[in-house]
Amino acid sequence: MSESIFSKIIAGTIPADKIYEDEFCIAINDIAPQAPVHVLIIPKKPIEKLADAQKDDQALMGHLMLVAGQLSRELGVEEAFRLIVNNGAGAGQTVFHLHLHLVAGKRFEEQAMV
Ligand code: 5GP
C-alpha cells in the first residue's frame, strides 16, 4: 500500500488540525467539514479499509470507538452524533487508510442512515 495522506499527517510531514493523539490513533478536524463537528479518528496502523481489519485488530477497533465516545463528550455532542465508516470507493471512501467520521451539530433525519 502506498503511503496515504493520513500516514503523512500521522508522521507530521503534512499539517492537520489535530485535536487528539495517543499511542494508537489521532483525531483531526476534517478539511472539508460536512457538519459543524466533523472529526476523523484515524488509527496509526495503516489499515486500508474496515473490511481488511483482522482479529489482531480487535482491541484497536474497540479503542477507536472509545475515543469517539470520549471526543463526543469533550466536544459537547455526546447526545447526538453519528459515526460513519466509508468502506471502498463504491461507498464513497476516498482516502484508503481506515478512519471514522464523527459528525455532529446538524439536524439528522431520524429515519435516514445518511
Ligand atoms: P472518506 O471519503 O475516505 O471516507 O473520507 C476522507 C475524508 O478525509 C474526507 O471527508 C476529506 O474531506 C478528508 N480529507 C482528505 N484529505 C484531507 C487532509 O489533507 N486533511 C484533512 N484534515 N482531511 C482530509
Side-chain angles (χ1 to χ4, degrees):
M1 170 184 170
S2 61
E3 201 182 23
S4 72
I5 191 135
F6 291 164
S7 286
K8 291 176 184 159
I9 288 171
I10 289 162
T13 53
I14 287 183
D17 185 7
K18 195 190 304 178
I19 63 163
Y20 176 85
E21 179 165 17
D22 66 25
E23 189 182 347
F24 302 108
C25 68
I26 64 167
I28 61 174
N29 283 315
D30 197 291
I31 203 166
Q34 304 293 308
V37 173
H38 188 169
V39 171
L40 303 173
I41 302 164
I42 309 167
K44 290 184 175 177
K45 180 176 177 180
I47 299 166
E48 266 191 49
K49 60 187 190 302
L50 182 59
D52 296 326
Q54 300 295 316
K55 188 79 183 160
D56 281 358
D57 300 313
Q58 183 167 324
L60 176 60
M61 296 298 112
H63 181 71
L64 299 177
M65 297 287 279
L66 288 176
V67 168
Q70 177 189 329
L71 290 177
S72 78
R73 293 189 298 276
E74 290 176 9
L75 294 166
V77 298
E78 69 274 20
E79 297 303 332
F81 67 89
R82 285 188 177 164
L83 268 189
I84 299 162
V85 177
N86 296 323
N87 183 96
Q93 186 175 4
T94 57
V95 179
F96 289 86
H97 181 139
L98 174 65
H99 51 282
L100 278 55
H101 296 255
L102 191 168
V103 180
K106 60 171 267 190
R107 192 175 127 54
F108 294 111
E109 296 303 322
E110 285 176 26
Q111 304 300 332
M113 290 293 290
V114 292

